[in-house]
Amino acid sequence: MAKKEKVKKFVQSELSEQDVEQCPKHDFNELYNRAHAELSLQQSKRDQIIAVYIAITSFLIPFALSSEALDMTAKGLIFFAVALIGIMFTIITIRYRIYKEIYWLCCETITRLININQARLNKSIVQTMFYRSLLKKGGKYIAKNGKWMSGKYFSNNIFSSETLHYIILAFMSTILLGLSAYLCFPIVALYRILLSVAVGVVAFVIILALYFTQCQKVYAVLVDGTDNSFNYAFSKAWFLHIYLDEKDYPIRDTDNSQQ
């Protein structure tokens, strides 16, 4: 029998006081430039998704409509497949939108950190500056009773370029979803029209609600004040993780350990 290879366990090295830079120097200008570049990249990715989806629809939809070999149900399934691709693209677009928001907050936080004495810079100060950036941008949507004003957030952002790009993608997807319902269900014409409109409208409302719900989660800490809500946004702001967290990286004093 072949001998089993011995599995070597990972051993974590401990840090000593001599390993830690007591006053690290950070290039905040470079951090800002990189955060801004990532912000622009998220926008570019969003535009690419819309371009790809338009290309898919411009190829598959004319093919489905012009093909005589396909019956109504088959054409409806093609419409459904294209609509499903669009809906998945909207979910990806939401992710890009959230990261763009986070990187914007990173840029604002970095401009605050430039004014902090680097010798005093630690996890608490970095996170406090990030929280204040959240408060500056999202505080206007917090009511006096501490609740999030979803209506105000919706009205202030519904006509932004970011939201309109998303709406275009969502509108295309839900129209195709409604048409797929029309083609796939051979019922009375009036009922088919009502069904297709209902499917399209319901899907559009759900997709739009998902967009605003996910965007609002970035500012959830302003409402509930919990670590989980704060870390939802801060964990994505990796440009700001420029401190040594002693909970994750235990420091051992070599002088004391040798006694």
Side-chain angles (χ1 to χ4, degrees):
M1 295 178 63
K3 293 183 178 180
K4 294 183 178 180
E5 293 185 3
K6 192 174 182 180
V7 179
K8 185 178 179 181
K9 293 185 177 181
F10 174 77
V11 179
Q12 181 183 204
S13 297
E14 293 185 342
L15 301 178
S16 66
E17 293 292 341
Q18 289 79 10
D19 296 321
V20 179
E21 177 62 57
Q22 298 301 320
C23 186
K25 295 181 179 179
H26 305 290
D27 189 345
F28 286 114
N29 290 328
E30 180 64 20
L31 284 175
Y32 182 92
N33 291 335
R34 288 183 177 272
H36 191 272
E38 286 292 332
L39 187 154
S40 301
L41 182 60
Q42 304 309 310
Q43 182 171 311
S44 176
K45 289 179 179 179
R46 177 208 63 193
D47 295 341
Q48 289 175 5
I49 282 181
I50 295 176
V52 168
Y53 191 60
I54 291 175
I56 292 174
T57 55
S58 62
F59 173 75
L60 289 179
I61 300 305
F63 167 76
L65 293 175
S66 61
S67 177
E68 296 180 358
L70 299 175
D71 59 11
M72 293 284 283
T73 301
K75 292 180 179 181
L77 291 175
I78 292 177
F79 274 65
F80 177 78
V82 177
L84 187 60
I85 293 172
I87 291 172
M88 288 188 291
F89 277 166
T90 61
I91 296 174
I92 296 173
T93 302
I94 292 174
R95 184 173 179 83
Y96 290 152
R97 176 68 181 87
I98 290 174
Y99 270 98
K100 184 175 180 180
E101 190 78 4
I102 297 297
Y103 291 139
W104 177 261
L105 292 167
C106 276
C107 289
E108 185 168 338
T109 303
I110 291 170
T111 61
R112 294 172 182 269
L113 293 176
I114 292 174
N115 300 287
I116 300 296
N117 183 352
Q118 292 196 37
R120 301 290 300 275
L121 199 61
N122 55 28
K123 177 180 179 180
S124 177
I125 290 177
V126 173
Q127 291 189 340
T128 297
M129 293 299 103
F130 184 75
Y131 179 85
R132 291 182 181 179
S133 296
L134 286 167
L135 185 62
K136 180 180 178 181
K137 193 169 184 182
K140 58 187 174 183
Y141 302 116
I142 305 298
K144 292 182 179 180
N145 59 4
K147 294 185 177 180
W148 182 264
M149 295 186 288
S150 298
K152 184 177 180 179
Y153 183 78
F154 177 84
S155 62
N156 283 7
N157 291 276
I158 186 62
F159 294 113
S160 69
S161 60
E162 294 292 333
T163 305
L164 291 176
H165 274 86
Y166 180 83
I167 287 176
I168 291 172
L169 184 59
F171 191 63
M172 292 174 60
S173 304
T174 52
I175 284 180
L176 293 175
L177 187 64
L179 290 174
S180 71
Y182 180 86
L183 294 172
C184 288
F185 294 96
I187 54 180
V188 179
L190 177 60
Y191 293 156
R192 291 171 72 182
I193 294 173
L194 293 176
L195 175 64
S196 63
V197 171
V199 169
V201 170
V202 170
F204 181 78
V205 170
I206 292 174
I207 291 173
L208 194 61
L210 180 64
Y211 172 83
F212 281 99
T213 300
Q214 293 300 310
C215 289
Q216 291 172 25
K217 284 180 67 176
V218 174
Y219 300 95
V221 66
L222 302 179
V223 178
D224 58 28
T226 64
D227 282 342
N228 287 339
S229 294
F230 177 81
N231 289 327
Y232 173 80
F234 188 73
S235 63
K236 299 175 177 59
W238 58 273
F239 287 104
L240 302 179
H241 297 195
I242 56 176
Y243 49 82
L244 187 66
D245 191 342
E246 295 185 9
K247 293 182 179 179
D248 296 328
Y249 308 98
I251 298 175
R252 174 176 57 84
D253 190 333
T254 53
D255 294 334
N256 294 334
S257 64
Q258 294 174 358
Q259 295 179 0

